[in-house]
Amino acid sequence: MAEPVRHAVELEVRYAETDQMGVVHHANYLVWFELARTHLCAHSGFPYADIERMGVILMVSGAELRYRRPARYGERVRVECWITELRSRSLRFAYEVSRDGELLVTGTTDHLWVQRDSGRSRQIPSELRVPFSRLAGESS
Amino acid sequence: MAEPVRHAVELEVRYAETDQMGVVHHANYLVWFELARTHLCAHSGFPYADIERMGVILMVSGAELRYRRPARYGERVRVECWITELRSRSLRFAYEVSRDGELLVTGTTDHLWVQRDSGRSRQIPSELRVPFSRLAGESS
Amino acid sequence: MAEPVRHAVELEVRYAETDQMGVVHHANYLVWFELARTHLCAHSGFPYADIERMGVILMVSGAELRYRRPARYGERVRVECWITELRSRSLRFAYEVSRDGELLVTGTTDHLWVQRDSGRSRQIPSELRVPFSRLAGESS
Amino acid sequence: MAEPVRHAVELEVRYAETDQMGVVHHANYLVWFELARTHLCAHSGFPYADIERMGVILMVSGAELRYRRPARYGERVRVECWITELRSRSLRFAYEVSRDGELLVTGTTDHLWVQRDSGRSRQIPSELRVPFSRLAGESS
């Protein structure tokens, strides 16, 4: 079985992302995870903005974060993202935030495919099945 | 001519609103202004959430802020809001943020009435004319 | 053994907290958790701002969130917080976000006591031992 | 007299930056301005993080924004920044946010040089005079 596709974005810590502790406020890592997820989805050939235009939402149903070391203003960090679980109605992404090869924060987010207008959980849209299976490293 | 209705909200500075300077990051005042504006609109009898449900948006077209003194984590601040200009297609709100009577930040925001689906500028919805004139302190 | 002290804050969903899905962006719940935690600490007689002035930081080392139902702009939500684990060097808080008695989001955050200047993990400051034991519902 | 140095950053609109209007929330442009300002300062040879380590803060004393067209999730925007006014104790930056050459938002921010420990207004540090004069396009 193949490995999942890992995709990384590089970003620069913004001043507004710090708090009075002098480090990045812990809520911002969820925003960075999301940016990396956006890039990974785009990599599948289906930018997330297009998925929403299809009337489908990848709703967040859970998240977990482990903070090991803080990021600071002005630093460049790398956020890596990949799929660790792909089911018909849900999927899980994993993340690693690092700076110069040093691991700062890890996490996962769980998502449900949801029909935008009804708000109901649904199966992955058929046109996304193959591209997401490839992202997940499954033989399709 | 009557004075405009002034409405105030009290809020508590959140840790996430601070930055590494140890004070509230300057972008958050726009968020606080918005909260006070929400309360002022509700005061007119038309909560802003209801206005959007009517298919109309009060789009921000401009903003101006003067920062005199910083607010800090854990403090309670008061944000006062009132209408300073009411035209058929636009309006301006003014704001004062204070702590224990001491003025911290002042500002204004300019808004256009916009039709949600077309994205086009429009006149104030007829049912809002009287309540907003009252807010603005105009004899209707 | 006594129950931990549960403390709740009520807050009003801000427009800026929503995203284009039309609901509160999932990262904001960590900010709300923090606000409830601030209130719980204040309840111990030691406002968190004072704890930081003592040169001690309650650094976030982990977080977990389960999103059941979304909160929306203009709604009032209640965020309840209590301590579920109290050790000499760390503690865990749990949270429930609800709206009119309906559970929206649950979560936990893990924290380490850290000496501000050195950045090193440390034991809970001695003056906080009794008040935090009481919060945790332990007979002290 | 020379023109001021104009510096631009490219950034990608994040999902968390949108609001339920489906566009970027207006407070985020101040965060983007700040990112462009950070890059411009770095261009002077004095990264802003280093300036703060010198014990000096470039405190925001005012801001003005004009919103012409909204940015949306997934788009790439360009934020250009330059100095329009340089005095001994204060300076003003101007900004233009554009997408594919189309102007979206313009603005300015005013800043005071402040001594970090005392919180007092002060003159520009002597080692920054020449580099900032160059940024401002003044013959030094």
Side-chain angles (χ1 to χ4, degrees), chain A residues 14-126:
Chain A
R14 302 172 176 186
Y15 201 91
E17 290 171 334
T18 62
D19 62 26
Q20 68 178 44
M21 219 178 270
V23 299
V24 169
H25 185 269
H26 62 282
N28 291 301
Y29 293 93
L30 285 175
V31 176
W32 295 357
F33 286 0
E34 189 171 58
L35 186 65
R37 200 161 68 234
T38 289
H39 276 250
L40 184 70
C41 288
H43 197 82
S44 77
F46 286 88
Y48 184 66
D50 291 354
I51 294 176
E52 284 206 347
R53 268 179 226 114
M54 291 162 56
V56 178
I57 288 170
L58 207 43
M59 186 176 278
V60 184
S61 59
E64 211 180 314
L65 304 104
R66 289 295 125 191
Y67 304 94
R68 294 156 187 250
R69 281 184 188 78
R72 290 170 200 280
Y73 168 62
E75 294 177 346
R76 287 195 72 81
V77 297
R78 177 185 163 86
V79 188
E80 207 168 340
C81 173
W82 65 98
I83 293 175
T84 59
E85 228 181 271
L86 182 66
R87 303 194 174 168
S88 65
R89 291 177 169 273
S90 69
L91 73 171
R92 172 173 289 179
F93 295 90
Y95 309 88
E96 281 181 7
V97 180
S98 59
R99 180 191 54 220
D100 299 332
E102 185 184 40
L103 201 57
L104 303 181
V105 173
T106 59
T108 57
T109 57
D110 297 315
H111 299 258
L112 295 171
W113 295 101
V114 168
Q115 193 63 29
R116 189 174 195 143
D117 45 17
S118 68
R120 293 240 175 105
S121 159
R122 53 159 289 165
Q123 293 204 329
I124 182 171
S126 56

Side-chain angles (χ1 to χ4, degrees), chain D residues 20-85:
Chain D
Q20 68 179 44
M21 219 177 271
V23 299
V24 170
H25 186 270
H26 63 282
N28 291 302
Y29 293 93
L30 285 175
V31 176
W32 295 358
F33 286 0
E34 190 171 57
L35 186 65
R37 200 161 68 234
T38 289
H39 276 249
L40 184 70
C41 288
H43 197 81
S44 77
F46 286 88
Y48 184 66
D50 291 354
I51 294 176
E52 284 206 346
R53 268 178 225 116
M54 290 162 58
V56 178
I57 288 170
L58 207 43
M59 186 176 279
V60 184
S61 60
E64 211 180 313
L65 304 105
R66 288 295 127 191
Y67 304 94
R68 294 155 186 251
R69 281 183 189 78
R72 290 171 199 279
Y73 168 62
E75 294 177 345
R76 287 195 72 80
V77 297
R78 176 187 165 85
V79 188
E80 207 167 341
C81 173
W82 65 99
I83 293 175
T84 58
E85 228 181 271

